[in-house]
Amino acid sequence: MDHSPLLHNSELAERAYRVRRNAIVMAEVQGQGYIAQALGVADVLSVAYFHAMNVRPDQPDWEDRDRFLLSVGHYGIAHYAVLTEAGYLPEAELVTYGCDDSRLPMSGMTSYTPGAEMSGGSIGLGLPMAVGMGLGLKRKKSKSFVYILMGDGEMAEGPTWEAAISAAHYQLDNIIALVDFNKVQADGPSTSIMSTEPLVQKFEAFGFFVQRVNGNDLAALVAAFDAAREHPDPKPRIIICDTKMGSGVDFLEAKEKNHFIRLEAEDWKRAYAALDARTVA
Amino acid sequence: MNTTTKQPSVDKALPVTPAIISSSVDEGHRTKSAPFGHALIEEARRRPEIVGMSADLAKYTDIHIFAQAYPDRFYQMGMSEQLMATAAGGLAKEGFIPFATTYATFAARRCYDFISQAVAEQDANVKFVGGLPGLTTGYGPSHQATDDLAIFRAMPNLTVLDPCDALDVEQMVPAVAEHKGPVYMRVLRGQVPLVLDEYNYRFELGKAALLRGGRDVLIISTGFMTMRALDAAKELQKDSVDVAVLHVPTVKPLDEVTILREASRSGRLVVVAENHTVIGGLGEAVAGCLMRGGVSCAFRQIGLPDQFLDAGTLPVLQDRYGISRKAVVDRIRCWL
Ligand SMILES: Cc1ncc(C[n+]2csc(CCOP(=O)(O)OP(=O)(O)O)c2C)c(N)n1
Ligand SMILES: [Mg+2]
């Protein structure tokens, strides 16, 4: 997949469907977890991996690849879902998620999983790490981008803003930051736990090229990723993606307490059915 | 943790226990729900200067119970641990007693300078409460607070506590509030085992408590390893091995008098047990105390190895790293 062919939206939709399905397979193994985030961010990750990024799944450490940093380690489930669809991991391994000696731990770590470029989980390390990699890539005269996925709750972490200042200072136009703005964090709605709005104006003031899009609209995401890659100014780029927790599975979309979801066995079966119903419709 | 990427393990039989945060309740233990949250409400009734804080982990440290009871005395700081630690210092300067909660890893590692300078150096009256102590989650090193006791023991002015069970947690809260000065307290949340009520125990700040006597082995333990030690003692009794258990909930300042008294009774193997790396925790604190006190005895440590631990399921990991009930019994047997 050297600079991946620009997939049509229908192909991307098919990919995103299978990413969601992979996530449900993993969540079902544990009976609980961060399934709503995985479903919500599936479109963003699909556009990243199947439209925007330059990667070789059979050669995860290929020097000229675009980097992808998962800062929110608990989104491992979402990352493994897309890594599997991209071919980094065999589908058969999904059922080991979170189990002993699995390559798919609950919180994403670089030494466990092919394609995982950082150990996240202690949230707030992602953007600072991207600054270092962005500087390093520039030193090497590399054309690669550093993509980094953060959560909206992560916008309250101090290191995020220290990194934002220096990303602009060093004109790191090779950073494409993604924020999964799903309006949820651990204790509840991110808007009431600690409001970080207006986020667009904040990042603009910090010197970023900022876009804010519906993170469940594939066409809008494709346009935003293209604009981020092609923007002429020497600024770091950020795409704030407004996503819907549980997207694609109606009864999970409707759930109120959804940072960490526990379901009965039969409800996981319902989740596959709901996903299929939505995708066919 | 390996530096090379792990090999696929899909062929192995799949375990049934999930990796997610669970308490370390062993079979046959009674439990009590959210002892920290309930005790804090009680104490807050008596002390209007108590305020609560969390960095987006209120629900996961049981302080949400306080937040529900006293919404106007609770500050949700969002996922900003360094801010919370430092702002807690500010609240203390204005005469309040903040109980500030996050996971033990983030309190210890991310906030170290902030707590050291904004709180401990100024002797501010802040109480940090850390969830998921030691190896109590299968999430891997980011969430496993295997080094918090070492980190906080090294901080001047700070009192460091590691409760065994629900009774310990609920008795610590008023003592911590009464104590003037900064405190770091590990906390067990959710359904917390209740064992110490069978031992006529009362928590006293700065004091170790002998929970049972025994001629052959002295286990000096802190945190939930005291529960494991008590269970191991019962198990070893069946082989006529007589095990004493000295519970040390205050890791700093250490009750050296009691430790020296118990360890200098001759002929016993001394085993220090902690849910923490063997580096810099209770084990090395006791070893230093014994050396300085001129007590020489057979000495062993039960604790986590000096490495980043694996992710996986909790019972398997506690077994693998030697802090499960069974692992404690097996190791003591082979040391005898
Ligand atoms: C430094 C740090 N503090 C706290 C946590 C615990 N934690 C895990 S996920 C989470 C919420 C993060 O919010 P967000 O980034 O919006 O993720 P979402 O709730 O959408 O999954 C928290 C507080 C953590 N992993 N790291
Ligand atoms: Mg969120």
Side-chain angles (χ1 to χ4, degrees):
Chain A
M1 215 177 323
D2 287 18
H3 219 182
S4 39
L6 296 188
L7 288 166
H8 295 299
N9 282 352
S10 59
E11 288 174 59
L12 278 172
E14 178 64 28
R15 295 283 206 169
Y17 161 79
R18 284 201 298 269
V19 169
R20 288 188 165 89
R21 205 164 190 293
N22 288 346
I24 300 174
V25 171
M26 281 181 274
E28 191 185 6
V29 172
Q30 294 291 337
Q32 54 190 348
Y34 307 100
I35 183 63
Q37 289 89 327
L39 295 169
V41 82
D43 297 314
V44 176
L45 291 182
S46 297
V47 174
Y49 273 86
F50 306 118
H51 171 73
M53 280 166 58
N54 191 18
V55 291
R56 291 180 181 167
D58 55 350
Q59 200 186 340
D61 52 2
W62 172 47
E63 173 61 21
D64 292 334
R65 73 193 182 281
D66 288 333
R67 276 61 170 163
F68 183 91
L69 299 177
L70 185 77
S71 187
V72 268
H74 66 292
Y75 275 55
I77 181 171
H79 200 201
Y80 310 144
V82 77
L83 288 174
T84 300
E85 176 60 17
Y88 289 83
L89 296 162
E91 224 175 285
E93 229 171 301
L94 291 172
V95 294
T96 70
Y97 171 66
C99 298
D100 292 300
D101 304 315
S102 166
R103 297 200 295 177
L104 316 180
M106 295 294 300
S107 187
M109 284 179 278
T110 183
S111 61
Y112 281 69
T113 318
E117 307 240 17
M118 81 174 281
S119 297
S122 179
I123 294 173
L125 306 186
L127 201 55
M129 179 78 61
V131 166
M133 291 172 74
L135 288 169
L137 288 169
K138 289 215 174 245
R139 272 193 104 66
K140 295 195 283 187
K141 311 250 180 307
S142 167
K143 296 263 177 293
S144 299
F145 284 103
V146 184
Y147 290 81
I148 154 172
L149 180 69
M150 295 180 283
D152 51 348
E154 187 166 9
M155 296 299 102
E157 283 288 356
T160 300
W161 297 98
E162 297 176 20
I165 288 171
S166 81
H169 175 83
Y170 283 111
Q171 305 192 330
L172 296 178
D173 50 10
N174 53 359
I175 291 181
I176 301 183
L178 310 167
V179 180
D180 180 17
F181 207 105
N182 59 10
K183 300 190 193 66
V184 167
Q185 56 188 108
D187 274 337
S190 54
T191 42
S192 61
I193 294 295
M194 182 56 67
S195 172
T196 52
E197 296 281 20
L199 209 50
V200 169
Q201 287 90 327
K202 278 181 184 141
F203 274 107
E204 272 171 0
F206 273 66
F208 277 61
F209 169 56
V210 188
Q211 302 175 80
R212 186 161 191 158
V213 299
N214 176 347
N216 296 118
D217 176 338
L218 290 168
L221 284 167
V222 165
F225 275 80
D226 286 350
R229 291 211 315 274
E230 287 150 20
H231 190 71
D233 296 348
K235 292 174 163 187
R237 295 103 211 281
I238 189 162
I239 309 174
I240 297 159
C241 307
D242 288 298
T243 62
K244 187 176 210 122
M245 288 283 274
S247 167
V249 175
D250 48 14
F251 71 95
L252 292 179
E253 286 177 10
K255 236 177 146 60
E256 260 186 37
K257 291 191 173 156
N258 53 13
H259 171 78
F260 189 92
I261 288 176
R262 249 173 267 264
L263 292 182
E264 297 305 322
E266 60 271 20
D267 287 328
W268 292 109
K269 301 288 174 246
R270 263 176 71 212
Y272 293 109
L275 180 63
D276 288 348
R278 176 72 68 86
T279 310
V280 173
Chain B
M1 191 165 52
N2 303 356
T3 44
T4 52
T5 296
K6 304 202 175 206
Q7 289 310 302
S9 65
V10 71
D11 299 336
K12 292 199 182 153
L14 296 177
V16 287
T17 336
I20 322 286
I21 302 161
S22 50
S23 68
S24 297
V25 183
D26 284 335
E27 251 178 61
H29 282 151
R30 289 161 301 129
T31 61
K32 202 161 174 179
S33 176
F36 169 66
H38 292 295
L40 190 58
I41 291 180
E42 277 300 302
E43 197 53 26
R45 236 194 292 282
R46 282 190 286 276
R47 295 179 194 270
E49 31 341 330
I50 287 180
V51 293
M53 304 175 93
S54 189
D56 196 21
L57 287 171
K59 276 197 275 188
Y60 299 83
T61 53
D62 285 346
I63 204 172
H64 68 298
I65 292 181
F66 170 89
Q68 282 156 10
Y70 293 104
D72 61 327
R73 287 166 67 178
F74 178 74
Y75 298 99
Q76 172 59 262
M77 304 309 282
M79 207 167 35
S80 316
E81 294 80 10
Q82 299 170 337
L83 162 72
M84 178 178 72
T86 313
L91 277 159
K93 276 184 185 294
E94 297 299 337
F96 296 97
I97 307 177
F99 277 74
T101 78
T102 177
Y103 285 155
T105 38
F106 308 130
R109 297 183 191 145
R110 181 153 306 186
C111 299
Y112 195 66
D113 177 55
F114 298 80
I115 295 177
S116 168
Q117 295 304 301
V119 176
E121 195 278 334
Q122 311 189 40
D123 212 9
N125 199 14
V126 177
K127 322 301 179 181
F128 293 104
V129 179
L132 295 187
L135 176 52
T136 49
T137 165
Y139 275 36
S142 61
H143 286 63
Q144 291 159 344
T146 53
D147 48 5
D148 59 332
L149 298 179
I151 285 172
F152 282 125
R153 271 186 68 222
M155 193 181 285
N157 289 353
L158 196 67
T159 294
V160 180
L161 306 176
D162 190 2
C164 165
D165 72 342
L167 186 73
D168 229 1
V169 168
E170 71 193 13
Q171 294 192 353
M172 269 181 195
V173 170
V176 161
E178 173 69 24
H179 172 79
K180 290 210 169 27
V183 175
Y184 170 69
M185 169 183 163
R186 281 180 158 191
V187 77
L188 304 164
R189 68 159 288 270
Q191 292 302 323
V192 179
L194 179 61
V195 287
L196 291 183
D197 57 339
E198 288 171 21
Y199 293 84
N200 194 22
Y201 168 82
R202 260 210 85 72
F203 171 77
E204 249 187 286
L205 197 77
K207 290 277 181 285
L210 190 69
L211 300 178
R212 55 176 282 163
R215 288 179 318 272
D216 304 315
V217 180
L218 169 66
I219 303 182
I220 302 176
S221 54
T222 188
F224 76 60
M225 289 310 285
T226 293
M227 168 179 93
R228 297 276 150 87
L230 291 167
D231 287 342
K234 283 185 197 159
E235 189 79 20
L236 289 161
Q237 192 94 67
K238 294 179 197 157
D239 308 348
S240 305
V241 179
D242 204 12
V243 179
V245 177
L246 180 67
H247 177 45
V248 185
T250 307
V251 175
K252 188 187 174 184
L254 200 61
D255 182 357
E256 301 208 352
V257 172
T258 306
I259 289 170
L260 286 172
R261 188 190 68 218
E262 287 301 322
S264 56
R265 295 231 216 130
S266 64
R268 293 197 293 193
L269 169 70
V270 173
V271 176
V272 181
E274 60 193 314
N275 170 28
H276 185 268
T277 164
V278 292
I279 307 280
L282 183 68
E284 291 190 350
V286 168
C289 160
L290 297 182
M291 292 292 281
R292 284 189 298 273
V295 174
S296 70
C297 52
F299 179 87
R300 297 282 187 281
Q301 272 181 270
I302 290 176
L304 302 167
D306 176 27
Q307 66 187 69
F308 289 111
L309 308 184
D310 291 340
T313 65
L314 207 48
V316 168
L317 295 176
Q318 292 193 348
D319 241 4
R320 180 175 301 170
Y321 294 115
I323 63 166
S324 66
R325 177 197 302 204
K326 179 177 176 305
V328 171
V329 171
D330 289 350
R331 291 176 81 184
I332 291 178
R333 270 204 189 115
C334 79
W335 285 330
L336 284 171

